[in-house]
Amino acid sequence: MRDKSDELTLIEQRLTKLPPSKFREIVAVLEESRSDFGGRGPAEALISKMRPRLVRMKLARKLTLQRLFCRPFEELLTDDPEPKGIGTQVSRRSIEPCWRLFVDRADAKKLQRIAANLRVCSADEGRKIERIGRQLWAYATIVLRQAVGSRNKEPGAVLTELSERAYRDILFIADFLEVADVMQELKRKLGRRPLRKAGEEHMDAIVTALEAVNGVNREHQHIVIDLLLAWLKRPSDIVAIVDRIASRAKSEIDEDSLTLAGEALVEDVEEQLRSVTGLTAKTNERADLVRGLRGCVSDVIGAHGAFQNRGSPTAMRRLDRIRGKVAALVEQHVLREADDRVLTAVPHPPPKVGAPEVSNVMPIVALEAPPDPERVQAAEDQAIALRLCVKYADELGLQAEFFDNIENLGRAIEDRARWAAARLDYNSLNVERREAAAAHFYVAIRVLELVAGSERADNLRRQLMGRFVPPPSATSSAA
Amino acid sequence: MTVTAAAQKHDNFWPATFQERGAVVPFTTPVLAFSRVRQQEERGLELLVPGLAGGRDTYIIPWRSLPSVFVMTVHDRVLREEIEVLPASNPGDIRHASLKVESTGLAGSNNAQAAKQATGDDDSEKLLTNFFLVTEAVKQLSGGKLQIGPADLTHDAGRANIKAILSRIAAMFRLNADEFYARLESWAGTVAPIGVPGLNYTCRLRQLIADIADYADDLETWSDRDLSDVSDSARVCVRIAEETSSTARTIATGVDRYAEDMRGTFADWEGNLTRLQALMEKLSWILDGWRPIVTLWRETDRGNREMAQDAVAEMLRLMPVMPRREVGSRARRTWGDLSQSLYRTRVRTHEDWLSGKVDIELVLRLERFKAIGHERQKR
């Protein structure tokens, strides 16, 4: 005999195979059959099994009372049962206990009235829904506050049954709902997520929100920071934002908020570094690696600037450690590999002086076939990486290494190209082979330009290419 | 030599002719990006750089002084040399010179590949247009009684049949088959960038006209949502794009008309070919400089308001305005107003874009734009 979970699994398997239109219909029927106050009925169990496909299909879901309850903090929800890191996130697993805590203690008639009002709203009646939401959030604040008390109080008997995570999340939700309308207004002003750069109008909105939150409870300031961390494309921008707030409305921001923002920045850089370290294992993602490294370096530099006036030794120590790791990665993947990757696309001289004459011929033969596109691409990528990272050499303490590397690499490219050009018998080459040889020299010029700049590369061009094609003026006068 | 020592300054620059406006040179040195070259009788070649140092004015710099005034990329030095020896500095010749230099790989290996692909696409357009004109000529001039298809080209009997048919058609104009075919070939060579109506392929310039119209639509939608001053600037760009695509479409229709009446076209072949060449020349000037603008906007993340606003400022700097004497008297007033609005709404653009340094990131961005600009999009 099958138990209930077996049946659900079977249904789940069948649901994944349904055509999208049928799936949509079933979702609509299930949503209609759900209780206004949520719960753990068969419809809920089934919907939980359908969730992965629901997320994939991005279906517009029916607005339930529970969903409206979560709306103010929905951007902070995470599937992670134990979210870590700076900036509060709420585990989705905590929603159900929080909702039950509220529903079980709420006045049923009052909730039914709110639910009835919500039922008659269509999806496009945003203002009306928001008005109903404000009633719900205000009421939920009162009920939850009575249930959980304040942060400093020992939890009551019912609350001890909750996991520690759920308890902490419920405390946070209670705080959040207390300023829900302020946060909703702030979200509207911030515009679409993610916010790439905070402009003046965003700053005005943030300061207004902080003023409003401070009017309710100064200890809730962190909620504004938490929301911003969820909204910003680069969470590390939070430091610059709080600095700007401090410079225009110092009284509105407390030291704790400044510290929280600082920790967020360090956490963000560490996270980036972790993902870059992961990329080093995959050799085919060089461009991503370099982009990641540059992101880390510029954030470390930005963070140093941001912390200079803060006197936060812990943050500075963490930053120094990150900088050391970034420098090691740059040295290993940008500097040390530069020679190999760049020079493989450039003609090779004989292995050692006095080697048999035949080894001098080999590269010439290779020059007569077009360059290998993959090698050229790899050489270009590496040269670009070198050039992009060189501007951070000072901050990474790698100035001497970069200087030596660029100088040696530049000279090696020039030497190899000149060496090959000197040994190439142009007159014996047909047009095709000349073009192939010229293509090799253009590669050398291109990578030299990327590594050592346009002037040096143009000098090399004048030395090498004059023998291939007559200068344009000569062509025209001949014509 | 400094820029100020070498350059002349033009404020509110509204040229009289296309030649005075100059043709866009796809340089990759950021400070010179999207500047224009023109041939002046007394002074020779010169470069017109809009918005140098972030200002609203256009600077004019002698072509020969460029390497001593700016640190140019190697690609740009070679391109400068190539352009210097061109017989004329019109958009078509500049494009060929640019493709030639790009295919060396001096602007990156992706660019080299894109340039080679673009050259191949140009050849394909010419071939397809040529074949279409041949079949259309046979169809129209035989009153629909005779037809040839691609399959005829694949075997000797088919080719002999085509030749026989062409001989009969050519005789109507007192020509032999070879002479008649040569005319069709030079017709195809002239109109290939735009193709012919009915061709199952959208050629480069016809695609660009459609892209400019799409660009205007898209930018207008964006400007309706943007509530800042930048939306006014965007609307200026929209109007210029609309006017340009409408003018270009009129000319394209004029070019197409010759293919719709082949008998009339061949009746006065020399005169009509000259008129076709003039129309195509005008079309290439009208559309010159639009590909980078369309690409720039396409590559902009519209959801990122600041980035989109920066792109609008950059597009304002590059907007090609129709010259005074190239438009009729009614359109002249419109373009005069647009030219004024353009000057008024121009804002200081990013300093790093115009600082004069060879910033590798900006160079790479320009190189990417060049490569994308060569891509043909099948519609």
Side-chain angles (χ1 to χ4, degrees):
Chain A
M1 198 178 137
R2 281 193 199 124
D3 66 11
K4 199 176 157 195
S5 78
D6 283 345
E7 274 179 30
L8 275 174
T9 313
L10 206 65
I11 296 172
E12 184 191 359
Q13 285 166 357
R14 295 187 62 187
L15 281 171
T16 55
K17 288 173 189 153
L18 283 175
S21 56
K22 204 80 202 156
F23 186 80
R24 253 184 234 118
E25 272 176 43
I26 292 176
V27 172
V29 172
L30 284 173
E31 297 253 69
E32 281 305 319
S33 69
R34 287 178 88 177
S35 144
D36 278 332
F37 307 151
R40 298 184 192 91
E44 281 72 25
L46 208 51
I47 283 191
S48 77
K49 292 284 177 192
M50 296 160 90
R51 199 176 300 283
R53 192 168 176 191
L54 283 170
V55 173
R56 268 201 312 278
M57 287 176 71
K58 292 184 179 163
L59 283 188
R61 310 280 303 277
K62 186 191 164 197
L63 187 60
T64 60
L65 211 54
Q66 190 184 15
R67 223 164 266 147
L68 185 63
F69 172 84
C70 296
R71 185 179 268 194
F73 55 91
E74 64 187 358
E75 292 82 6
L76 304 184
L77 291 175
T78 169
D79 290 335
D80 188 349
E82 278 296 331
K84 292 182 188 70
I86 303 293
T88 310
Q89 286 185 299
V90 178
S91 170
R92 280 186 202 280
R93 290 189 184 185
S94 305
I95 293 175
E96 194 54 35
C98 181
W99 177 246
R100 293 265 50 104
L101 195 72
F102 166 51
V103 171
D104 292 348
R105 283 162 181 72
D107 174 359
K109 279 191 184 155
K110 188 169 179 143
L111 270 194
Q112 273 161 359
R113 218 170 28 248
I114 299 176
N117 288 339
L118 186 63
R119 258 196 309 274
V120 294
C121 285
S122 64
D124 53 358
E125 290 180 292
R127 284 189 181 182
K128 207 168 156 191
I129 294 170
E130 197 72 13
R131 215 167 32 240
I132 298 168
R134 277 201 295 273
Q135 287 173 18
L136 178 67
W137 304 324
Y139 182 50
T141 307
I142 297 166
V143 174
L144 287 176
R145 189 61 71 217
Q146 281 168 357
V148 295
S150 69
R151 280 177 182 274
N152 306 325
K153 243 173 79 178
E154 279 296 306
V158 181
L159 299 176
T160 50
E161 288 173 16
L162 296 170
S163 70
E164 194 194 331
R165 178 79 226 176
Y167 177 65
R168 269 194 286 144
D169 282 346
I170 292 171
L171 282 173
F172 177 76
I173 291 170
D175 288 351
F176 202 110
L177 292 181
E178 211 170 341
V179 289
D181 50 345
V182 179
M183 292 298 110
Q184 286 297 92
E185 184 57 23
L186 176 60
K187 279 152 69 171
R188 242 190 313 278
K189 295 266 175 63
L190 290 177
R192 261 194 354 198
R193 266 173 91 199
L195 178 64
R196 282 164 202 266
K197 201 171 175 189
E200 275 313 300
E201 69 275 27
H202 301 122
M203 293 304 300
D204 289 343
I206 296 166
V207 170
T208 307
L210 273 172
E211 282 168 3
V213 167
N214 287 342
V216 178
N217 186 344
R218 278 195 89 90
E219 285 183 10
H220 291 355
Q221 261 180 31
H222 68 94
I223 293 174
V224 178
I225 307 281
D226 291 331
L227 185 84
L228 287 173
L229 286 170
W231 226 263
L232 290 168
K233 165 101 174 140
R234 287 156 34 104
S236 52
D237 288 349
I238 192 74
V239 174
I241 290 176
V242 294
D243 278 350
R244 281 161 77 186
I245 297 168
S247 69
R248 58 192 270 185
K250 181 125 188 68
S251 60
E252 298 300 341
I253 192 145
D254 296 341
E255 197 52 44
D256 281 354
S257 300
L258 294 170
T259 309
L260 177 65
E263 285 174 1
L265 171 62
V266 178
E267 183 69 28
D268 187 45
V269 183
E270 277 179 347
E271 181 56 40
Q272 275 193 56
L273 185 61
R274 271 193 290 277
S275 85
V276 170
T277 313
L279 282 175
T280 57
K282 303 170 191 166
T283 46
N284 56 342
E285 291 179 10
R286 183 139 301 260
D288 291 341
L289 169 68
V290 172
R291 208 175 301 127
L293 280 173
R294 286 176 54 221
C296 282
V297 179
S298 66
D299 276 356
V300 172
I301 293 165
H304 263 276
F307 284 113
Q308 247 160 18
N309 307 321
R310 291 278 178 77
S312 171
T314 324
M316 287 300 262
R317 260 201 307 279
R318 280 172 79 186
L319 278 177
D320 282 338
R321 207 170 52 238
I322 297 172
R323 186 161 62 170
K325 286 183 190 168
V326 174
L329 285 173
V330 168
E331 196 171 10
Q332 185 182 347
H333 295 282
V334 178
L335 283 174
R336 267 190 229 151
E337 291 181 7
D339 277 9
D340 278 352
R341 294 175 69 93
V342 173
L343 292 177
T344 50
V346 181
H348 300 250
K352 54 187 176 198
V353 181
E357 190 60 25
V358 69
S359 64
N360 277 358
V361 178
M362 285 307 289
I364 310 285
V365 174
L367 276 182
E368 292 175 16
D372 173 4
E374 274 181 29
R375 280 188 176 190
V376 174
Q377 187 69 61
E380 265 190 11
D381 286 351
Q382 191 67 32
I384 289 169
L386 196 64
R387 181 79 177 268
L388 291 175
C389 288
V390 73
K391 63 169 126 173
Y392 303 117
D394 221 1
E395 283 85 359
L396 292 173
L398 294 172
Q399 207 184 25
E401 286 84 346
F402 264 99
F403 180 82
D404 289 348
N405 198 291
I406 285 173
E407 191 46 40
N408 293 340
L409 194 53
R411 204 174 302 136
I413 297 167
E414 286 165 337
D415 289 349
R416 287 179 178 209
R418 285 192 196 116
W419 170 85
R423 281 159 181 78
L424 198 63
D425 180 8
Y426 301 88
N427 299 328
S428 69
L429 299 177
N430 62 20
V431 177
E432 225 169 62
R433 288 180 166 191
R434 268 186 197 213
E435 279 177 8
H440 281 277
F441 290 125
Y442 277 125
V443 171
I445 294 163
R446 166 77 175 168
V447 288
L448 181 64
E449 178 172 34
L450 289 170
V451 169
S454 302
E455 289 296 344
R456 254 169 95 169
D458 198 48
N459 283 338
L460 184 65
R461 172 181 74 97
R462 288 177 186 286
Q463 289 161 19
L464 298 178
M465 305 315 291
R467 297 171 70 183
F468 279 93
V469 264
S473 51
T475 321
S476 77
S477 58
Chain B
M1 199 190 295
T2 61
V3 175
T4 40
Q8 293 174 40
K9 201 173 85 170
H10 246 304
D11 56 355
N12 200 4
F13 179 58
W14 188 25
T17 61
F18 284 124
Q19 285 71 20
E20 193 189 334
R21 187 177 83 175
V24 168
V25 188
F27 281 141
T28 57
T29 306
V31 71
L32 301 177
F34 315 114
S35 47
R36 290 172 177 272
V37 61
R38 72 178 181 192
Q39 178 80 48
Q40 290 292 84
E41 233 170 68
E42 298 148 14
R43 299 192 293 269
L45 282 178
E46 48 192 24
L47 190 74
L48 289 86
V49 189
L52 192 68
R56 299 194 291 182
D57 308 316
T58 298
Y59 284 78
I60 302 164
I61 300 157
W63 195 250
R64 284 180 181 279
S65 311
L66 284 178
S68 54
V69 177
F70 300 104
V71 180
M72 297 165 80
T73 59
V74 180
H75 165 274
D76 289 1
R77 292 168 204 236
V78 178
L79 183 57
R80 193 197 71 82
E81 290 167 14
E82 284 289 333
I83 291 173
E84 198 164 54
V85 296
L86 285 178
S89 49
N90 58 40
D93 289 346
I94 301 282
R95 181 166 180 274
H96 284 135
S98 176
L99 287 176
K100 183 177 164 194
V101 178
E102 280 172 69
S103 62
T104 60
L106 285 174
S109 48
N110 289 337
N111 239 295
Q113 227 170 338
K116 283 171 194 160
Q117 177 68 42
T119 308
D121 288 343
D122 285 356
D123 291 342
S124 303
E125 285 176 359
K126 217 174 280 178
L127 264 174
L128 285 167
T129 305
N130 194 13
F131 184 73
F132 189 88
L133 284 174
V134 171
T135 53
E136 193 64 16
V138 169
K139 201 165 87 185
Q140 280 188 30
L141 299 172
S142 70
K145 286 178 198 146
L146 299 172
Q147 274 191 354
I148 53 171
D152 291 324
L153 290 169
T154 57
H155 52 93
D156 287 345
R159 282 190 286 273
N161 183 38
I162 292 176
K163 191 149 191 188
I165 290 174
L166 283 181
S167 297
R168 281 168 62 188
I169 303 279
M172 295 164 69
F173 305 99
R174 295 189 186 143
L175 299 168
N176 63 35
D178 289 338
E179 288 166 339
F180 185 68
Y181 187 79
R183 284 187 178 185
L184 287 167
E185 215 171 24
S186 59
W187 185 349
T190 306
V191 303
I194 194 165
V196 269
L199 186 67
N200 190 21
Y201 181 90
T202 311
C203 295
R204 181 172 59 87
L205 291 185
R206 204 180 292 271
Q207 175 72 61
L208 183 53
I209 297 171
D211 287 347
I212 296 170
D214 289 349
Y215 160 86
D217 276 354
D218 197 52
L219 188 57
E220 186 164 34
T221 312
W222 179 86
S223 69
D224 287 342
R225 283 202 304 265
D226 185 87
L227 302 174
S228 70
D229 296 346
V230 182
S231 63
D232 291 338
S233 308
R235 277 185 205 106
V236 175
C237 297
V238 170
R239 284 198 58 210
I240 293 177
E242 282 171 347
E243 287 292 328
T244 304
S245 69
S246 153
T247 312
R249 209 170 280 137
T250 307
I251 294 186
T253 310
V255 174
D256 291 346
R257 222 167 272 144
Y258 287 87
E260 285 156 10
D261 174 21
M262 291 200 142
R263 193 178 297 272
T265 305
F266 284 114
D268 174 19
W269 172 246
E270 299 300 333
N272 284 330
L273 182 63
T274 310
R275 281 185 278 277
L276 268 173
Q277 284 164 340
L279 283 173
M280 285 304 295
E281 174 84 0
K282 184 163 185 174
L283 189 63
S284 72
W285 275 110
I286 289 172
L287 298 174
D288 182 45
W290 276 98
R291 180 49 73 197
I293 293 172
V294 171
T295 308
L296 173 67
W297 185 241
R298 270 196 191 151
E299 291 290 293
T300 302
D301 174 3
R302 322 291 152 77
N304 178 347
R305 193 158 58 166
E306 192 154 300
M307 188 196 261
Q309 290 179 343
D310 283 350
V312 171
E314 209 169 313
M315 291 184 308
L316 271 183
R317 190 175 74 85
L318 311 178
M319 272 294 132
V321 177
M322 285 285 281
R324 290 196 303 273
R325 276 194 236 138
E326 305 286 353
V327 289
S329 56
R330 199 183 299 168
R332 194 171 301 144
R333 185 177 297 171
T334 309
W335 280 105
D337 291 347
L338 285 172
S339 172
Q340 281 290 326
S341 320
L342 194 60
Y343 184 73
R344 270 200 311 272
T345 50
R346 257 181 200 158
V347 288
R348 289 183 73 82
T349 40
H350 267 179
E351 290 294 327
D352 55 353
W353 182 251
L354 303 156
S355 62
K357 284 188 300 187
V358 179
D359 183 321
I360 185 67
E361 286 180 68
L362 292 176
V363 173
L364 294 173
R365 179 180 180 239
L366 288 167
E367 287 178 354
R368 198 163 56 82
F369 277 9
K370 270 169 83 99
I372 295 170
H374 290 317
E375 284 171 11
R376 301 289 209 276
Q377 288 185 350
K378 309 288 177 280
R379 293 172 72 88

